[in-house]
Amino acid sequence: MRKTILSIVTALAAVASTLVVLTGPAQAHGYISSPPSRQANCAQGRVANCGPIIYEPQSVEGPKGQRNCHGGLSQFAQLSDESKPWPATSVGQNVTFNWVLTARHATSTWEYYIGNTRVAVFNDGGRQPGATVSHNVNLGGFSGRQRLLAIWNIADTPMAFYSCVDLQIGGGGGNPQPTPTPTVTPRPPSPTPTVTPPPAGGTWRTGTYYATGSTVTYGGATYRCLQAHTSLAGWEPPNVPALWARV
Amino acid sequence: MKRLAIVLALVAGCSAPAEPAFNAADVMFLQMMIPHHEQGIQMAKIAEERAARPEVKALASAIRATQSDEAKTMTTRLTRWEQPMEAPPGSHDAHGGLHETRPSDILSLEKAPAGQFDTNFLNLLTGHQHNAVDMARTEVKTGLDAATKDLAKRIEESRKAQIQEMLRLLAAPRR
């Protein structure tokens, strides 16, 4: 009996796996993480009311040749909304742009635009990208607040991925700053994690640094921290026995 | 499919009342998530040794600890269900391939220059956790077993929060 059921289960599994593939996650692929792109600022929660991009900052995929921040996708149109308070990162003339990739497509080029000027292009000649991708870009004398558009052109599809990065370019034209390290402009109040441990016996909350041995209450029970960490949603004490022991 | 699985569970219930009700999506989720976790643990272990910023190190340690626990839970469940740890070769091609963290990615993290390590680690793991969120959301939508769907919900939530934390670390000036 059991064996029969198992073989039926196995047969159904084969059918269902096809269904799972068909209903699988949207194919999603990459964006600029630092200096933070608009979708990175949305996903991080630094810019509010961004719409569904917060769930998939890697999905701004549209036909090649566009010059907007949302890849022409109506559900992500907020990325091109210039009235939103996009924070600009202070940079010099040379900036290193770092990408997060969730799929490593064969790549034709990576392009960087300010306005209509292509300030940089990197030709990968159809190769798959490495583990991580970063490009050092000279901003070509642009200064002040600028919106940079980065485009990842895929080699074997007609599609590209779009990321806009808001920059406050200092240093003036032809006077590159020695350090390409971006610094961040002061930002509006946001859920910045505190680094001060709460008083022993406080209520557990997210974004808090807990030292090994500190105690919290959660859902009426007391827990002792087994390993120092900054708390986050999904790491509630009863859910992560690796981090918290009930006392 | 869902109805069939429930019927099956009922049939199974005749001979073994405690038989859990699960479907192929649950099994596939576990089969894919276990190796995905192992890769995450590998990356975190490297960062525990090599990360320059203490907050990156602490995050890596917490991720290693929590994912090791989750991997144990998932392995135990597949064993209890008498399901293979791995799906038949090729059955995950639509998910895997391009979306996988390749062994060469982990190797290149190991070899990253000291000044680049934190940035490379955070970008690599952020991409990796985005893929975990996708798999977890699929399980929440298509799975059947309540405990596995709960685990998927927690994975979705905690990975989203980790991504936020990593994006914050990437954007924040180094101390």
mmCIF file of all heavy atoms in Angstrom, chain A residues 27-73:
data_model
loop_
_atom_site.group_PDB
_atom_site.id
_atom_site.type_symbol
_atom_site.label_atom_id
_atom_site.label_comp_id
_atom_site.label_asym_id
_atom_site.label_seq_id
_atom_site.Cartn_x
_atom_site.Cartn_y
_atom_site.Cartn_z
ATOM 1 N N GLN A 27 11.722 35.753 -13.955
ATOM 2 C CA GLN A 27 13.157 35.721 -14.213
ATOM 3 C C GLN A 27 13.696 37.114 -13.897
ATOM 4 O O GLN A 27 13.257 38.096 -14.465
ATOM 5 C CB GLN A 27 13.422 35.362 -15.670
ATOM 6 C CG GLN A 27 12.858 34.011 -16.048
ATOM 7 C CD GLN A 27 13.574 32.873 -15.353
ATOM 8 O OE1 GLN A 27 14.762 32.676 -15.551
ATOM 9 N NE2 GLN A 27 12.876 32.125 -14.517
ATOM 10 N N ALA A 28 14.615 37.166 -12.973
ATOM 11 C CA ALA A 28 15.075 38.455 -12.478
ATOM 12 C C ALA A 28 16.582 38.439 -12.408
ATOM 13 O O ALA A 28 17.156 37.391 -12.203
ATOM 14 C CB ALA A 28 14.481 38.689 -11.101
ATOM 15 N N HIS A 29 17.204 39.583 -12.561
ATOM 16 C CA HIS A 29 18.607 39.436 -12.907
ATOM 17 C C HIS A 29 19.654 40.370 -12.347
ATOM 18 O O HIS A 29 20.748 39.931 -12.077
ATOM 19 C CB HIS A 29 18.728 39.406 -14.424
ATOM 20 C CG HIS A 29 17.637 38.592 -15.055
ATOM 21 N ND1 HIS A 29 17.746 37.253 -15.276
ATOM 22 C CD2 HIS A 29 16.394 38.929 -15.438
ATOM 23 C CE1 HIS A 29 16.615 36.793 -15.802
ATOM 24 N NE2 HIS A 29 15.774 37.789 -15.903
ATOM 25 N N GLY A 30 19.412 41.679 -12.200
ATOM 26 C CA GLY A 30 20.504 42.484 -11.656
ATOM 27 C C GLY A 30 20.222 43.971 -11.554
ATOM 28 O O GLY A 30 19.350 44.498 -12.250
ATOM 29 N N TYR A 31 20.977 44.627 -10.652
ATOM 30 C CA TYR A 31 20.860 46.069 -10.444
ATOM 31 C C TYR A 31 22.109 46.575 -9.743
ATOM 32 O O TYR A 31 22.886 45.786 -9.202
ATOM 33 C CB TYR A 31 19.614 46.410 -9.626
ATOM 34 C CG TYR A 31 19.603 45.841 -8.209
ATOM 35 C CD1 TYR A 31 19.885 46.636 -7.100
ATOM 36 C CD2 TYR A 31 19.330 44.494 -7.980
ATOM 37 C CE1 TYR A 31 19.882 46.119 -5.809
ATOM 38 C CE2 TYR A 31 19.328 43.966 -6.701
ATOM 39 C CZ TYR A 31 19.596 44.780 -5.616
ATOM 40 O OH TYR A 31 19.594 44.253 -4.349
ATOM 41 N N ILE A 32 22.269 47.894 -9.714
ATOM 42 C CA ILE A 32 23.420 48.487 -9.034
ATOM 43 C C ILE A 32 23.101 48.642 -7.553
ATOM 44 O O ILE A 32 22.072 49.203 -7.178
ATOM 45 C CB ILE A 32 23.796 49.842 -9.666
ATOM 46 C CG1 ILE A 32 24.398 49.595 -11.062
ATOM 47 C CG2 ILE A 32 24.786 50.597 -8.784
ATOM 48 C CD1 ILE A 32 24.823 50.858 -11.784
ATOM 49 N N SER A 33 24.012 48.122 -6.719
ATOM 50 C CA SER A 33 23.801 48.182 -5.265
ATOM 51 C C SER A 33 24.498 49.384 -4.646
ATOM 52 O O SER A 33 24.018 49.963 -3.680
ATOM 53 C CB SER A 33 24.307 46.900 -4.612
ATOM 54 O OG SER A 33 25.687 46.728 -4.890
ATOM 55 N N SER A 34 25.689 49.739 -5.187
ATOM 56 C CA SER A 34 26.397 50.888 -4.639
ATOM 57 C C SER A 34 27.232 51.570 -5.712
ATOM 58 O O SER A 34 27.837 50.891 -6.521
ATOM 59 C CB SER A 34 27.269 50.468 -3.452
ATOM 60 O OG SER A 34 28.277 49.574 -3.860
ATOM 61 N N PRO A 35 27.254 52.927 -5.729
ATOM 62 C CA PRO A 35 26.378 53.769 -4.922
ATOM 63 C C PRO A 35 24.925 53.370 -5.194
ATOM 64 O O PRO A 35 24.610 52.962 -6.312
ATOM 65 C CB PRO A 35 26.648 55.176 -5.435
ATOM 66 C CG PRO A 35 27.875 55.103 -6.274
ATOM 67 C CD PRO A 35 28.039 53.684 -6.710
ATOM 68 N N PRO A 36 24.048 53.462 -4.182
ATOM 69 C CA PRO A 36 22.730 52.857 -4.334
ATOM 70 C C PRO A 36 21.929 53.402 -5.524
ATOM 71 O O PRO A 36 21.826 54.605 -5.710
ATOM 72 C CB PRO A 36 22.032 53.181 -3.009
ATOM 73 C CG PRO A 36 22.838 54.263 -2.376
ATOM 74 C CD PRO A 36 24.230 54.120 -2.886
ATOM 75 N N SER A 37 21.411 52.478 -6.308
ATOM 76 C CA SER A 37 20.502 52.850 -7.398
ATOM 77 C C SER A 37 19.140 53.161 -6.794
ATOM 78 O O SER A 37 18.893 52.915 -5.609
ATOM 79 C CB SER A 37 20.383 51.691 -8.383
ATOM 80 O OG SER A 37 19.900 50.545 -7.704
ATOM 81 N N ARG A 38 18.249 53.672 -7.611
ATOM 82 C CA ARG A 38 16.896 53.968 -7.116
ATOM 83 C C ARG A 38 16.217 52.702 -6.589
ATOM 84 O O ARG A 38 15.585 52.717 -5.537
ATOM 85 C CB ARG A 38 16.067 54.633 -8.225
ATOM 86 C CG ARG A 38 16.563 56.029 -8.511
ATOM 87 C CD ARG A 38 15.728 56.753 -9.546
ATOM 88 N NE ARG A 38 16.202 58.141 -9.643
ATOM 89 C CZ ARG A 38 15.621 59.077 -10.379
ATOM 90 N NH1 ARG A 38 14.547 58.781 -11.098
ATOM 91 N NH2 ARG A 38 16.103 60.306 -10.402
ATOM 92 N N GLN A 39 16.365 51.588 -7.342
ATOM 93 C CA GLN A 39 15.691 50.370 -6.853
ATOM 94 C C GLN A 39 16.336 49.847 -5.576
ATOM 95 O O GLN A 39 15.657 49.250 -4.741
ATOM 96 C CB GLN A 39 15.599 49.286 -7.933
ATOM 97 C CG GLN A 39 16.876 48.890 -8.619
ATOM 98 C CD GLN A 39 17.035 49.604 -9.950
ATOM 99 O OE1 GLN A 39 17.063 50.832 -10.009
ATOM 100 N NE2 GLN A 39 17.154 48.856 -11.032
ATOM 101 N N ALA A 40 17.664 50.085 -5.410
ATOM 102 C CA ALA A 40 18.324 49.677 -4.162
ATOM 103 C C ALA A 40 17.799 50.515 -3.007
ATOM 104 O O ALA A 40 17.534 49.996 -1.917
ATOM 105 C CB ALA A 40 19.835 49.816 -4.279
ATOM 106 N N ASN A 41 17.625 51.813 -3.227
ATOM 107 C CA ASN A 41 17.083 52.673 -2.178
ATOM 108 C C ASN A 41 15.652 52.280 -1.826
ATOM 109 O O ASN A 41 15.252 52.353 -0.667
ATOM 110 C CB ASN A 41 17.138 54.145 -2.611
ATOM 111 C CG ASN A 41 18.505 54.759 -2.341
ATOM 112 O OD1 ASN A 41 19.104 54.510 -1.301
ATOM 113 N ND2 ASN A 41 19.010 55.547 -3.283
ATOM 114 N N CYS A 42 14.890 51.851 -2.816
ATOM 115 C CA CYS A 42 13.519 51.388 -2.559
ATOM 116 C C CYS A 42 13.530 50.087 -1.767
ATOM 117 O O CYS A 42 12.838 49.955 -0.760
ATOM 118 C CB CYS A 42 12.772 51.192 -3.869
ATOM 119 S SG CYS A 42 12.330 52.739 -4.696
ATOM 120 N N ALA A 43 14.348 49.114 -2.213
ATOM 121 C CA ALA A 43 14.385 47.807 -1.555
ATOM 122 C C ALA A 43 14.904 47.924 -0.128
ATOM 123 O O ALA A 43 14.494 47.188 0.761
ATOM 124 C CB ALA A 43 15.260 46.839 -2.349
ATOM 125 N N GLN A 44 15.798 48.882 0.083
ATOM 126 C CA GLN A 44 16.375 49.065 1.412
ATOM 127 C C GLN A 44 15.399 49.772 2.348
ATOM 128 O O GLN A 44 15.583 49.772 3.560
ATOM 129 C CB GLN A 44 17.654 49.884 1.276
ATOM 130 C CG GLN A 44 18.555 49.830 2.501
ATOM 131 C CD GLN A 44 19.478 51.022 2.559
ATOM 132 O OE1 GLN A 44 19.997 51.461 1.542
ATOM 133 N NE2 GLN A 44 19.682 51.556 3.745
ATOM 134 N N GLY A 45 14.376 50.400 1.790
ATOM 135 C CA GLY A 45 13.406 51.115 2.616
ATOM 136 C C GLY A 45 13.793 52.563 2.863
ATOM 137 O O GLY A 45 13.184 53.249 3.679
ATOM 138 N N ARG A 46 14.820 53.034 2.151
ATOM 139 C CA ARG A 46 15.273 54.415 2.336
ATOM 140 C C ARG A 46 14.354 55.399 1.633
ATOM 141 O O ARG A 46 14.295 56.566 1.990
ATOM 142 C CB ARG A 46 16.678 54.542 1.747
ATOM 143 C CG ARG A 46 17.721 54.965 2.739
ATOM 144 C CD ARG A 46 19.049 55.016 2.028
ATOM 145 N NE ARG A 46 19.576 56.364 2.014
ATOM 146 C CZ ARG A 46 20.646 56.714 1.311
ATOM 147 N NH1 ARG A 46 21.273 55.815 0.565
ATOM 148 N NH2 ARG A 46 21.079 57.937 1.353
ATOM 149 N N VAL A 47 13.712 54.936 0.560
ATOM 150 C CA VAL A 47 12.725 55.750 -0.139
ATOM 151 C C VAL A 47 11.401 54.996 -0.025
ATOM 152 O O VAL A 47 11.344 53.793 -0.287
ATOM 153 C CB VAL A 47 13.111 55.964 -1.623
ATOM 154 C CG1 VAL A 47 12.010 56.693 -2.368
ATOM 155 C CG2 VAL A 47 14.424 56.727 -1.717
ATOM 156 N N ALA A 48 10.370 55.714 0.403
ATOM 157 C CA ALA A 48 9.089 55.057 0.693
ATOM 158 C C ALA A 48 8.174 55.057 -0.528
ATOM 159 O O ALA A 48 8.417 55.772 -1.502
ATOM 160 C CB ALA A 48 8.410 55.763 1.854
ATOM 161 N N ASN A 49 7.138 54.259 -0.460
ATOM 162 C CA ASN A 49 6.074 54.215 -1.477
ATOM 163 C C ASN A 49 6.595 54.008 -2.890
ATOM 164 O O ASN A 49 6.271 54.759 -3.804
ATOM 165 C CB ASN A 49 5.236 55.506 -1.425
ATOM 166 C CG ASN A 49 4.695 55.770 -0.033
ATOM 167 O OD1 ASN A 49 4.225 54.846 0.628
ATOM 168 N ND2 ASN A 49 4.794 57.007 0.428
ATOM 169 N N CYS A 50 7.425 52.983 -3.043
ATOM 170 C CA CYS A 50 8.027 52.710 -4.353
ATOM 171 C C CYS A 50 7.205 51.728 -5.177
ATOM 172 O O CYS A 50 7.514 51.489 -6.337
ATOM 173 C CB CYS A 50 9.416 52.113 -4.169
ATOM 174 S SG CYS A 50 10.644 53.289 -3.584
ATOM 175 N N GLY A 51 6.214 51.075 -4.561
ATOM 176 C CA GLY A 51 5.477 50.055 -5.305
ATOM 177 C C GLY A 51 6.222 48.724 -5.290
ATOM 178 O O GLY A 51 7.123 48.515 -4.475
ATOM 179 N N PRO A 52 5.862 47.822 -6.214
ATOM 180 C CA PRO A 52 6.341 46.431 -6.148
ATOM 181 C C PRO A 52 7.841 46.251 -6.400
ATOM 182 O O PRO A 52 8.363 45.150 -6.210
ATOM 183 C CB PRO A 52 5.520 45.720 -7.233
ATOM 184 C CG PRO A 52 5.040 46.792 -8.144
ATOM 185 C CD PRO A 52 4.911 48.038 -7.305
ATOM 186 N N ILE A 53 8.545 47.301 -6.787
ATOM 187 C CA ILE A 53 9.982 47.162 -7.029
ATOM 188 C C ILE A 53 10.720 46.736 -5.760
ATOM 189 O O ILE A 53 11.784 46.119 -5.821
ATOM 190 C CB ILE A 53 10.582 48.483 -7.590
ATOM 191 C CG1 ILE A 53 12.011 48.280 -8.106
ATOM 192 C CG2 ILE A 53 10.571 49.593 -6.553
ATOM 193 C CD1 ILE A 53 12.105 47.403 -9.321
ATOM 194 N N ILE A 54 10.128 47.038 -4.581
ATOM 195 C CA ILE A 54 10.816 46.685 -3.329
ATOM 196 C C ILE A 54 11.020 45.181 -3.211
ATOM 197 O O ILE A 54 11.926 44.732 -2.540
ATOM 198 C CB ILE A 54 10.068 47.209 -2.075
ATOM 199 C CG1 ILE A 54 8.644 46.652 -2.013
ATOM 200 C CG2 ILE A 54 10.048 48.741 -2.060
ATOM 201 C CD1 ILE A 54 7.973 46.896 -0.664
ATOM 202 N N TYR A 55 10.163 44.394 -3.871
ATOM 203 C CA TYR A 55 10.286 42.941 -3.787
ATOM 204 C C TYR A 55 11.286 42.387 -4.785
ATOM 205 O O TYR A 55 11.782 41.279 -4.645
ATOM 206 C CB TYR A 55 8.928 42.265 -4.026
ATOM 207 C CG TYR A 55 7.879 42.716 -3.053
ATOM 208 C CD1 TYR A 55 6.805 43.487 -3.467
ATOM 209 C CD2 TYR A 55 7.994 42.384 -1.709
ATOM 210 C CE1 TYR A 55 5.848 43.910 -2.557
ATOM 211 C CE2 TYR A 55 7.040 42.808 -0.796
ATOM 212 C CZ TYR A 55 5.977 43.567 -1.222
ATOM 213 O OH TYR A 55 5.045 43.993 -0.327
ATOM 214 N N GLU A 56 11.543 43.116 -5.856
ATOM 215 C CA GLU A 56 12.417 42.582 -6.902
ATOM 216 C C GLU A 56 13.193 43.688 -7.604
ATOM 217 O O GLU A 56 12.966 43.951 -8.780
ATOM 218 C CB GLU A 56 11.619 41.737 -7.899
ATOM 219 C CG GLU A 56 10.261 42.324 -8.261
ATOM 220 C CD GLU A 56 9.533 41.491 -9.310
ATOM 221 O OE1 GLU A 56 10.162 40.680 -10.000
ATOM 222 O OE2 GLU A 56 8.316 41.678 -9.438
ATOM 223 N N PRO A 57 14.124 44.314 -6.869
ATOM 224 C CA PRO A 57 14.901 45.402 -7.485
ATOM 225 C C PRO A 57 15.719 44.929 -8.684
ATOM 226 O O PRO A 57 16.170 45.745 -9.483
ATOM 227 C CB PRO A 57 15.814 45.869 -6.341
ATOM 228 C CG PRO A 57 15.878 44.723 -5.386
ATOM 229 C CD PRO A 57 14.541 44.055 -5.476
ATOM 230 N N GLN A 58 15.858 43.605 -8.798
ATOM 231 C CA GLN A 58 16.675 43.037 -9.873
ATOM 232 C C GLN A 58 15.904 42.870 -11.180
ATOM 233 O O GLN A 58 16.433 42.352 -12.147
ATOM 234 C CB GLN A 58 17.255 41.686 -9.423
ATOM 235 C CG GLN A 58 16.261 40.547 -9.262
ATOM 236 C CD GLN A 58 15.597 40.491 -7.898
ATOM 237 O OE1 GLN A 58 15.221 41.502 -7.335
ATOM 238 N NE2 GLN A 58 15.411 39.280 -7.367
ATOM 239 N N SER A 59 14.624 43.270 -11.203
ATOM 240 C CA SER A 59 13.748 42.913 -12.327
ATOM 241 C C SER A 59 13.438 44.030 -13.311
ATOM 242 O O SER A 59 12.473 43.928 -14.056
ATOM 243 C CB SER A 59 12.417 42.374 -11.786
ATOM 244 O OG SER A 59 12.634 41.196 -11.057
ATOM 245 N N VAL A 60 14.225 45.104 -13.317
ATOM 246 C CA VAL A 60 13.923 46.195 -14.248
ATOM 247 C C VAL A 60 14.478 45.837 -15.630
ATOM 248 O O VAL A 60 15.519 46.321 -16.072
ATOM 249 C CB VAL A 60 14.453 47.548 -13.742
ATOM 250 C CG1 VAL A 60 13.989 48.673 -14.662
ATOM 251 C CG2 VAL A 60 13.975 47.808 -12.321
ATOM 252 N N GLU A 61 13.759 44.964 -16.305
ATOM 253 C CA GLU A 61 14.184 44.408 -17.593
ATOM 254 C C GLU A 61 13.241 44.902 -18.684
ATOM 255 O O GLU A 61 12.028 44.754 -18.569
ATOM 256 C CB GLU A 61 14.138 42.881 -17.534
ATOM 257 C CG GLU A 61 14.529 42.217 -18.853
ATOM 258 C CD GLU A 61 14.468 40.694 -18.773
ATOM 259 O OE1 GLU A 61 13.673 40.163 -17.977
ATOM 260 O OE2 GLU A 61 15.229 40.040 -19.511
ATOM 261 N N GLY A 62 13.826 45.489 -19.732
ATOM 262 C CA GLY A 62 13.012 45.943 -20.851
ATOM 263 C C GLY A 62 13.823 45.858 -22.135
ATOM 264 O O GLY A 62 15.022 45.588 -22.097
ATOM 265 N N PRO A 63 13.144 46.091 -23.258
ATOM 266 C CA PRO A 63 13.869 46.061 -24.530
ATOM 267 C C PRO A 63 15.057 47.028 -24.513
ATOM 268 O O PRO A 63 15.021 48.049 -23.828
ATOM 269 C CB PRO A 63 12.811 46.518 -25.540
ATOM 270 C CG PRO A 63 11.500 46.231 -24.894
ATOM 271 C CD PRO A 63 11.718 46.362 -23.421
ATOM 272 N N LYS A 64 16.088 46.657 -25.255
ATOM 273 C CA LYS A 64 17.285 47.511 -25.337
ATOM 274 C C LYS A 64 16.948 48.875 -25.937
ATOM 275 O O LYS A 64 15.934 49.032 -26.611
ATOM 276 C CB LYS A 64 18.343 46.832 -26.219
ATOM 277 C CG LYS A 64 19.040 45.674 -25.534
ATOM 278 C CD LYS A 64 19.941 44.912 -26.507
ATOM 279 C CE LYS A 64 20.450 43.644 -25.842
ATOM 280 N NZ LYS A 64 20.903 42.644 -26.800
ATOM 281 N N GLY A 65 17.828 49.836 -25.695
ATOM 282 C CA GLY A 65 17.739 51.121 -26.378
ATOM 283 C C GLY A 65 16.922 52.170 -25.661
ATOM 284 O O GLY A 65 16.727 53.261 -26.183
ATOM 285 N N GLN A 66 16.411 51.866 -24.455
ATOM 286 C CA GLN A 66 15.610 52.860 -23.736
ATOM 287 C C GLN A 66 16.510 53.785 -22.927
ATOM 288 O O GLN A 66 17.664 53.493 -22.673
ATOM 289 C CB GLN A 66 14.616 52.151 -22.821
ATOM 290 C CG GLN A 66 13.650 51.254 -23.576
ATOM 291 C CD GLN A 66 12.649 50.619 -22.633
ATOM 292 O OE1 GLN A 66 11.739 51.261 -22.134
ATOM 293 N NE2 GLN A 66 12.839 49.332 -22.365
ATOM 294 N N ARG A 67 15.951 54.911 -22.531
ATOM 295 C CA ARG A 67 16.720 55.878 -21.732
ATOM 296 C C ARG A 67 15.924 56.296 -20.509
ATOM 297 O O ARG A 67 15.931 57.454 -20.119
ATOM 298 C CB ARG A 67 17.065 57.119 -22.583
ATOM 299 C CG ARG A 67 17.999 56.863 -23.740
ATOM 300 C CD ARG A 67 19.419 56.554 -23.268
ATOM 301 N NE ARG A 67 20.283 56.266 -24.408
ATOM 302 C CZ ARG A 67 20.458 55.056 -24.920
ATOM 303 N NH1 ARG A 67 19.847 54.011 -24.389
ATOM 304 N NH2 ARG A 67 21.244 54.879 -25.955
ATOM 305 N N ASN A 68 15.186 55.360 -19.909
ATOM 306 C CA ASN A 68 14.448 55.688 -18.689
ATOM 307 C C ASN A 68 14.917 54.782 -17.558
ATOM 308 O O ASN A 68 15.686 53.849 -17.772
ATOM 309 C CB ASN A 68 12.945 55.560 -18.930
ATOM 310 C CG ASN A 68 12.564 54.154 -19.347
ATOM 311 O OD1 ASN A 68 12.702 53.217 -18.559
ATOM 312 N ND2 ASN A 68 12.101 53.985 -20.585
ATOM 313 N N CYS A 69 14.425 55.067 -16.355
ATOM 314 C CA CYS A 69 14.893 54.344 -15.165
ATOM 315 C C CYS A 69 14.097 53.071 -14.898
ATOM 316 O O CYS A 69 14.482 52.272 -14.051
ATOM 317 C CB CYS A 69 14.807 55.236 -13.929
ATOM 318 S SG CYS A 69 15.831 56.708 -14.027
ATOM 319 N N HIS A 70 12.959 52.900 -15.591
ATOM 320 C CA HIS A 70 12.069 51.787 -15.255
ATOM 321 C C HIS A 70 11.933 50.761 -16.373
ATOM 322 O O HIS A 70 11.065 49.892 -16.312
ATOM 323 C CB HIS A 70 10.701 52.305 -14.823
ATOM 324 C CG HIS A 70 9.955 53.053 -15.903
ATOM 325 N ND1 HIS A 70 10.352 54.288 -16.360
ATOM 326 C CD2 HIS A 70 8.848 52.730 -16.604
ATOM 327 C CE1 HIS A 70 9.506 54.687 -17.296
ATOM 328 N NE2 HIS A 70 8.588 53.759 -17.467
ATOM 329 N N GLY A 71 12.817 50.857 -17.370
ATOM 330 C CA GLY A 71 12.812 49.857 -18.434
ATOM 331 C C GLY A 71 11.511 49.812 -19.213
ATOM 332 O O GLY A 71 11.214 48.810 -19.868
ATOM 333 N N GLY A 72 10.704 50.883 -19.104
ATOM 334 C CA GLY A 72 9.438 50.916 -19.825
ATOM 335 C C GLY A 72 8.357 50.067 -19.175
ATOM 336 O O GLY A 72 7.300 49.850 -19.767
ATOM 337 N N LEU A 73 8.617 49.580 -17.952
ATOM 338 C CA LEU A 73 7.642 48.721 -17.281
ATOM 339 C C LEU A 73 6.720 49.585 -16.421
ATOM 340 O O LEU A 73 7.179 50.254 -15.492
ATOM 341 C CB LEU A 73 8.351 47.692 -16.391
ATOM 342 C CG LEU A 73 9.288 46.718 -17.114
ATOM 343 C CD1 LEU A 73 10.176 45.994 -16.128
ATOM 344 C CD2 LEU A 73 8.460 45.716 -17.924
#
